[in-house]
Amino acid sequence: MRSPINLTLPRVGPLFVTGALLLGAARTEAQTASAKMDPAWLRADAASKTAEFKLVGGMTELNGGMNFNGFSRGALVVTVPLGWNVVLHFKNQDQNLPHSVEIVPDGDAIPGGPVPPAFEHAATGRVEQGFPAGQGADVRFVAGKAGVFLIFCAVPGHGAAGMWIRLTVSATADKPTLATGDPRPR
Ligand SMILES: [Cu+2]
């Protein structure tokens, strides 16, 4: 005697696969949509040579909340001219995880936790324990050397898990800019 399950499996199987593929596509689309850059995050004042950036920890669900403004692994790039003042208005919006901010040098290995910042004062404080949801701090520093840096969460494990975006200090740029880029592969 044949079980009815055997009869229905060939029909249910393909349907299930199709459904899973559709779900997967929807999820990918949602992640793309949530990682939308808003030019208003960056404000520049040429007279005082100051770039102000609204930096949000855990803005979306991307990467388990370990993202800045919905981006991880360098997929958002803030560029400022060499010698400008930088103000990062950091706030943690993640209901589950604490986050902090440090500017660190770029390198092959992402630090596993707090390291000395690349510029004096370029860290939020509470770098190891992070700030809970709804809290944050302003980070003010002078972008005094050209190069590629990371805007990095120093809560242990977060940066290595992908919670970093890029800061480029450019000797040739005449104004701050914001752009998206390809995330670094895992
Ligand atoms: Cu974090």
Side-chain angles (χ1 to χ4, degrees):
M1 197 173 133
R2 295 181 70 176
S3 156
I5 289 171
N6 286 340
L7 288 172
T8 53
L9 259 180
R11 296 182 188 202
V12 170
L15 277 176
F16 173 78
V17 170
T18 306
L21 285 173
L22 286 172
L23 270 177
R27 200 168 290 135
T28 304
E29 206 171 294
Q31 282 183 354
T32 307
S34 66
K36 194 165 183 253
M37 186 186 87
D38 182 352
W41 291 334
L42 181 66
R43 297 171 74 171
D45 182 61
S48 64
K49 292 191 169 179
T50 301
E52 298 192 46
F53 187 68
K54 182 186 173 186
L55 184 63
V56 178
M59 180 181 272
T60 68
E61 296 291 316
L62 179 82
N63 199 30
M66 291 186 286
N67 63 78
F68 287 115
N69 297 34
F71 293 83
S72 65
R73 298 182 185 278
L76 186 65
V77 185
V78 183
T79 300
V80 299
L82 177 64
W84 275 47
N85 305 294
V86 179
V87 186
L88 304 175
H89 299 288
F90 170 67
K91 189 173 182 184
N92 184 19
Q93 210 167 275
D94 190 334
Q95 298 299 319
N96 302 308
L97 295 172
H99 299 296
S100 65
V101 180
E102 256 198 284
I103 307 300
V104 301
D106 192 12
D108 290 336
I110 307 295
V115 293
F119 303 96
E120 200 179 357
H121 307 305
T124 49
R126 298 178 59 119
V127 286
E128 182 146 17
Q129 65 267 53
F131 292 80
Q135 293 186 30
D138 284 351
V139 177
R140 296 166 188 274
F141 62 97
V142 177
K145 56 188 173 227
V148 180
F149 303 90
L150 312 182
I151 300 173
F152 160 84
C153 178
V155 172
H158 288 198
M163 190 167 180
W164 57 276
I165 56 174
R166 282 187 199 285
L167 173 72
T168 300
V169 179
S170 169
T172 54
D174 59 353
K175 63 178 193 298
T177 54
L178 188 59
T180 55
D182 289 331
R184 182 184 288 183
R186 278 160 209 275

